[in-house]
Amino acid sequence: MNMREMCRVLRRRWYVMASLTLLGLLAGFHLHRSVPVEYESQSSIALLDSTAVAQLAPTFGNPLSNAGGSLVVTADVLIRTLSGADAARALQGLGVTDPYTVGFAANASGPMLTLSVTGTDRARVLEETNTLTAFAGEQLTALQAAAGVQPRYFVQTAPVVLPQTPVPLLKSRYQQVLAVVIAGTAAGFTLSFATESALTARRRRRAAAAPAAGAPAAPGLAGPAGRTAVRAGRDHPPRRRRGSRPDATALLSGYLALAFFIPSNLTLPGLGGVGTPANAYALLCLFWYLASWLTGRIRPPAATRLPRTAMLVLALAVLGSYLANATRGSSQKEILGADRGLIGLLVWVSLVVLATAAIHDRSRLDVLMRRMVVMGAAVAAIGFYDFFTATNIADSITLPGLQSSVPQIATLDRGSFTRPRSTTAQPLEFGGMLALLLPFAVQQALDPARRTLARWRRWAPVALMGGALPLTVSRTSIIGVLLVVLVMVPRWRPERRWAAIGLLCGAVAAFKVVIPGLIGTITALFASFLSNGDSSTQARTVKYGAIVPYLEERPLFGRGFGTFTPDLYFFTDNQYMLTLAETGLAGLAALLLLFLTGIHQGGAIRRLARTENDRELGQAFFASALVALVISATFDSLSFPMFAGMFFLTLAAGGSHLGFLRRAAPQHPTVESPCPHTAPCPPTAPCPHRAPDRVPVP
């Protein structure tokens, strides 16, 4: 369905669209007038070492000079204490009845806490913030006294930012109003096409029943062909040429261009990390699919249901966590985070539905996969520029109407090397995304149908992606490369296998010569990891135990998808731990189902393949899904929009490829159908596809 046809449907069903849009506007206006303005006040405190252990500055004797990072664990204990139910009851007795939050101060390297209170009475909010600030120091003293700590060793609290004058939270209010208006408009759009589909179906039933009732045919047209032409002309407007009609491949290609070439840290204001232009475009594509599906222009092909079923399970887990977040009295930031989580879920659903249900031509799916690899190679080339120039080209890109969702992004270094991130938000996302796409680059380079192309055109994406992965100087990238090699190379013929092993050894030697110290730095990373001497690994494993209390509190559906943000809690650097905290055991099971679905699809494609290229393609899907499964334990992968988009798109492409192979595979003989559809029935075998023999009448 093209834009002209969509506009025609909306014009015919204007009463549905106008009424629901007006209803949304009225509801938004009522919300703006009836909901009172909320105010927020904040204060910050720092934890100081006791005078018995701190070495005071010799000149000034300033205790703030000893507010180092060694008290981070103490600060975490204090945060958990203040966030508990006992502390909430004690604060209610002191007059703090409005919602409050306690967490680590943003972008702080030491034990600094931010305390905030939100309410509708400005004077009361300021008074409650003062009470909460004093109560934090009292609770810290009480905790140490209960643990038997001597008073001279007590850790103290010192105010860094005094309780601030409450400011109105107009942004969150406008977001709520805008959400109501958008919901009304979206409902009007969807119901307009649903109404068009229902009325068209009713007209068809009436037209089909008219000849049986003896109704006269349309003038100038006679017979069934004439009646069919009349109904077709009335129900469907004249269609344009097929080449000018947008299809799912064209729409998804637009998504890839926006996702790869607009830095993923640039987002629409107020939407956070999920507000990238690519995600907004994917939501519009979802409306296109709904309009086409409701009017009967698109029907999901057979044997493509598995990825959509896995997404349904994930959606149910996310909705369960959303309800769990709504029932636990969460803060305003957590509510907005849960809303953004639902937006991200709709983006993923859009990618899966478009790739599995709207692509009916395998050649168009191959075009989409090729475009994905080529664009990924271009992003890898930008990573080379960042590495050798020690800069980041994405920092100089600014677009009107977009703002950075990650403040103060700086170029990261490890050892003496700059870690590139290209157009992604972080080097880990850059490496993870390339590791997902590398198997498809290898498969397309080995495709016999592409042998007519120049060799450099076939192998340039492989060289760019494979070469950019070590430049990130991260274990995640190296693990991804090793998984791709271990999955794909053993399946090759011996001559190709030994050639690949020799090429890999030569590439390692070339890196050692061209970039001295890079291989040694990467080797040292794994050596420190195996000896448990790496500080980043220790910081991550310490946080794993910190997830347990949140999981024990809400084990089934968690605290709410998208609510466990670093500014309120802490970084997890592990997608499985983050999923447990946000969506509980149900979300973890759904996430594992997604990864296992991708692995199963790759294996099924390889088993059903009739050509060597299809077998290589199945192995590529298998390797890509396995990479996503493993490296998600090394960083919170689905929190990064580019990695998440490529994962769900490759998952859906695997389901679509599997559907093409299953529909083309011959049917196995059964009792009801003893001969396959693709083979002629033997004369002596009963077959429902052959007309029964005439029986002579005596």
Side-chain angles (χ1 to χ4, degrees), residues 20 24 177-189:
L20 288 177
V177 173
L178 185 61
V180 171
V181 174
I182 292 176
T185 306
F189 181 89

Side-chain angles (χ1 to χ4, degrees), residues 215-228:
L221 293 172
R227 289 190 295 271
T228 302

Side-chain angles (χ1 to χ4, degrees), residues 62-271:
N62 186 356
L64 290 178
S65 64
N66 296 282
S70 59
L71 299 176
V72 172
V73 176
T74 307
D76 184 64
V77 172
L78 180 59
I79 291 173
R80 296 176 185 276
T81 302
L82 295 176
S83 302
D86 293 339
R89 285 192 293 268
L91 285 170
Q92 286 182 357
L94 296 175
V96 181
T97 57
D98 288 322
Y100 68 91
T101 59
V102 181
F104 284 103
N107 302 320
S109 58
M112 299 183 64
L113 280 65
T114 297
L115 302 89
S116 62
V117 178
T118 305
T120 57
D121 188 337
R122 175 177 293 186
R124 184 176 180 82
V125 165
L126 180 59
E127 180 182 353
E128 290 175 340
T129 306
N130 282 289
T131 304
L132 178 61
T133 305
F135 182 78
E138 297 171 0
Q139 282 294 105
L140 181 60
T141 301
L143 286 172
Q144 297 175 95
V149 179
Q150 298 182 13
R152 64 193 187 98
Y153 290 107
F154 275 6
V155 175
Q156 306 293 328
T157 61
V160 177
V161 177
L162 297 177
Q164 300 294 292
T165 302
V167 295
L169 299 177
L170 298 178
K171 179 180 177 180
S172 61
R173 189 186 191 193
Y174 291 144
Q175 286 176 338
Q176 294 176 0
V177 173
L178 185 61
V180 171
V181 174
I182 292 176
T185 306
F189 181 89
T190 305
L191 289 180
S192 296
F193 287 91
T195 304
E196 174 74 10
S197 178
L199 294 179
T200 301
R202 188 176 67 176
R203 285 199 303 266
R204 288 175 176 174
R205 289 194 300 267
R206 288 180 176 178
L221 293 172
R227 289 190 295 271
T228 302
V230 171
R231 290 197 303 270
R234 182 178 59 218
D235 295 339
H236 298 290
R239 297 188 177 184
R240 298 168 63 191
R241 292 183 297 107
R242 181 172 178 81
S244 62
R245 298 173 63 86
D247 64 349
T249 298
L251 295 177
L252 289 173
S253 299
Y255 168 81
L256 290 175
L258 292 174
F260 280 127
F261 300 123
I262 295 181
S264 58
N265 63 291
L266 296 180
T267 61
L268 297 173
L271 292 179

Side-chain angles (χ1 to χ4, degrees), residues 25 64 151 158 177 190 194 279 282 366-367 423-424 436 444 625 668 678 692:
L25 291 172
L64 290 178
V177 173
T190 305
N279 286 353
D366 293 336
V367 168
T423 56
T424 64
L436 279 183
Q444 292 176 11
H668 294 286
T678 57

Side-chain angles (χ1 to χ4, degrees), residues 309-326:
T309 303
M311 284 301 301
L312 176 62
V313 175
L314 177 66
L316 293 176
V318 170
L319 291 176
S321 69
Y322 187 86
L323 295 177
N325 175 68

Side-chain angles (χ1 to χ4, degrees), residues 337-480:
D339 294 338
R340 287 192 291 266
L342 288 183
I343 296 175
L345 175 66
L346 288 177
V347 171
W348 302 341
V349 169
S350 174
L351 297 177
V352 172
V353 167
L354 285 173
T356 59
I359 298 180
H360 296 260
D361 186 354
R362 179 167 179 179
S363 63
R364 296 294 290 164
L365 185 59
D366 293 336
V367 168
L368 177 65
M369 298 301 296
R370 181 60 185 165
R371 289 173 179 173
M372 185 189 304
V373 169
V374 171
M375 293 183 191
V379 174
I382 297 175
F384 275 92
Y385 173 84
D386 291 343
F387 179 83
F388 288 106
T389 59
T391 58
N392 189 267
I393 193 173
D395 292 337
S396 59
I397 298 177
T398 57
L399 296 176
L402 301 181
Q403 63 183 16
S404 178
S405 62
V406 185
Q408 299 179 357
I409 291 182
T411 303
L412 300 179
D413 298 328
R414 177 165 282 172
S416 58
F417 303 102
T418 299
R419 303 176 64 189
R421 60 181 178 89
S422 188
T423 56
T424 64
Q426 219 266 354
L428 287 176
E429 183 186 17
F430 178 59
M433 182 270 299
L434 293 182
L436 279 183
L437 301 184
L438 180 61
F440 303 105
V442 175
Q443 178 267 329
Q444 292 176 11
L446 298 174
D447 187 359
R450 299 178 56 81
R451 294 291 174 84
T452 57
L453 297 178
R455 182 171 296 181
W456 72 269
R457 291 183 60 184
R458 290 186 285 119
W459 289 99
V462 179
L464 289 172
M465 291 184 185
L469 281 166
L471 302 183
T472 60
V473 199
S474 71
R475 287 180 290 264
T476 298
S477 300
I478 303 303
I479 291 173

